[in-house]
Amino acid sequence: MNYIIETQNLTKCYGEHAAVRDVSLHVPQGAIYGLLGRNGAGKTTVMKMLLGLARPTSGSILLFGRPVKGFPRDIYSRIGSSIEAPGFYPHMTAKENLTIFSRLTGKPDSSRIEQALDTVGLSSDSQKTFSQYSLGMKQRLALANALLKSPRLLILDEPANGLDPIGIAELRSLLKRLSEKEGRTILLSSHQLTEMEQLSDFTGVLHEGRLVEECSREELAQMEKKYIRLCVSAPDRALLFIRNTCSPDGPERILPDGIQPDGSIHLYGTGWNPAAINKKLLEAGFEVTELTRCAGSLEEHFKSITGGVGIA
Ligand code: ATP
């Protein structure tokens, strides 16, 4: 696969604290890739390293298939970004703000500015100043700013933050259009699972600085999924026994299994054979009081991979 962003063991330490640890990210060309994680998981830090705004402690970055060292202008001129709240001038209109921002990278192009504003649904004629904008309009302006260079790659930190459901739906169709019709690659972050589920072709889940999962939309859909709930005597020993003696059939991955707060065991995946597990447990002297096939939600899955704490 052709990756626009690829990192290998990317790590960033602030003093003793590792904000990002051994992250190997793969963002395919033309895809919308959602980086999902709770507050403080390391999403912004990853993006800053990709954009040359933070220096990695170790690991490597390839952008457009090329290793990135220093700040290669020809690579960064192909990337549009919105990281943390961009500092727009409060007393200026959208067009005036974008004119100033585009001066930083070259000669302002009025028609391109109008086109960028038009793409995100803001009027280039409006006399409203930035301070009079709603949060949703501010987010759109940040996106228009990121689009100014007509970039092949967009890196957007929490672009849906603070948007209402209609604003999120509009953002979703805009990003889909940019990816599907214009072939742009988009990396965006969010802590909202449902947003990512609906928008992303690929999802990476960061937890405490580590990439604990990277999967395609199809794989993600499968995870909304099946598990076996098992109530058994001595669950700790029983889980160890199952891990050592039973294995699920089929190509599907085994998601992390484990003992739930109520003492039941969840075995994720569809390839388990409940009858065989039951027989083995009984033969080994365990007392099985419940064995049920269940369909878990995606949210449950994310809780299981982020240490039992859910992502909204
Ligand atoms: P959020 O969703 O809240 O924006 P995030 O996933 O983007 O969170 P980061 O902002 O990347 O997380 O932060 C990851 C960790 O690194 C946090 O523990 C944060 O406190 C720490 N961190 C980030 N920047 C710095 C810095 N400049 N100096 C020290 N620690 C930092």
Side-chain angles (χ1 to χ4, degrees):
M1 203 179 284
N2 208 358
Y3 298 119
I4 294 294
I5 301 175
E6 195 176 353
T7 69
Q8 284 152 358
N9 301 321
L10 196 61
T11 298
K12 176 72 187 175
C13 298
Y14 291 107
E16 297 284 285
H17 175 61
V20 171
R21 289 186 266 188
D22 288 323
V23 167
S24 298
L25 211 62
H26 303 85
V27 181
Q29 182 166 13
I32 300 181
Y33 186 113
L35 205 50
L36 186 66
R38 306 189 70 216
N39 293 126
K43 306 179 293 294
T44 307
T45 307
V46 166
M47 291 184 160
K48 282 185 175 168
M49 287 191 278
L50 295 175
L51 288 165
L53 300 172
R55 190 191 292 267
T57 306
S58 58
S60 59
I61 299 173
L62 280 93
L63 296 175
F64 301 97
R66 267 178 50 196
V68 174
K69 285 253 157 59
F71 196 88
R73 272 188 176 273
D74 62 319
I75 286 189
Y76 285 106
S77 63
R78 287 190 268 169
I79 306 176
S81 66
S82 162
I83 290 274
E84 297 176 331
F88 291 114
Y89 293 99
H91 59 285
M92 288 186 180
T93 65
K95 195 171 176 182
E96 287 166 345
N97 263 298
L98 292 195
T99 305
I100 292 205
F101 271 72
S102 54
R103 249 185 223 137
L104 298 173
T105 49
K107 203 163 166 281
D109 178 337
S110 183
S111 65
R112 186 164 274 183
I113 290 173
E114 282 167 23
Q115 194 188 346
L117 287 171
D118 187 51
T119 302
V120 301
L122 287 176
S123 161
S124 53
D125 298 329
S126 170
Q127 290 309 304
K128 261 194 182 178
T129 61
F130 183 71
S131 61
Q132 296 166 327
Y133 269 24
S134 69
L135 188 55
M137 291 165 88
K138 288 177 181 172
Q139 292 278 30
R140 282 162 192 251
L141 184 57
L143 186 54
N145 186 40
L147 285 169
L148 272 183
K149 292 182 282 185
S150 197
R152 301 314 305 154
L153 168 64
L154 277 166
I155 296 183
L156 307 171
D157 193 14
E158 310 245 7
N161 209 8
L163 296 187
D164 61 27
I166 293 174
I168 290 176
E170 286 171 355
L171 177 74
R172 196 184 309 139
S173 56
L174 170 59
L175 294 180
K176 277 204 188 283
R177 201 173 74 229
L178 291 171
S179 144
E180 285 167 13
K181 298 242 162 70
E182 302 182 16
R184 298 179 209 266
T185 306
I186 301 171
L187 173 69
L188 77 161
S189 68
S190 175
H191 55 269
Q192 294 284 341
L193 176 59
T194 38
E195 249 167 57
M196 286 298 175
E197 200 185 344
Q198 291 174 26
L199 183 61
S200 308
D201 303 311
F202 291 84
T203 303
V205 183
L206 275 176
H207 179 57
E208 294 178 351
R210 290 188 191 281
L211 191 69
V212 291
E213 187 159 271
E214 188 175 57
C215 61
S216 67
R217 179 199 298 277
E218 293 72 32
E219 288 170 318
L220 197 63
Q222 276 198 8
M223 283 166 200
E224 199 149 7
K225 72 164 130 197
K226 321 282 174 358
Y227 64 92
I228 286 178
R229 178 184 147 84
L230 182 65
C231 295
V232 63
S233 58
D236 289 316
R237 271 200 304 116
L239 182 58
L240 198 63
F241 175 78
I242 293 167
R243 280 177 181 159
N244 289 334
T245 59
C246 311
S247 57
D249 301 326
E252 200 166 297
R253 295 183 296 168
I254 314 165
L255 300 173
D257 47 21
I259 299 176
Q260 304 302 303
D262 67 357
S264 66
I265 293 173
H266 283 192
L267 300 171
Y268 289 92
T270 53
W272 296 101
N273 179 341
I277 293 172
N278 189 33
K279 186 163 176 276
K280 280 192 181 172
L281 284 170
L282 293 177
E283 281 170 1
F286 291 99
E287 191 186 336
V288 179
T289 52
E290 188 186 325
L291 205 157
T292 331
R293 278 193 188 276
C294 305
S297 69
L298 201 53
E299 193 172 336
E300 271 182 279
H301 167 63
F302 280 103
K303 279 183 184 171
S304 76
I305 61 171
T306 56
V309 191
I311 298 171

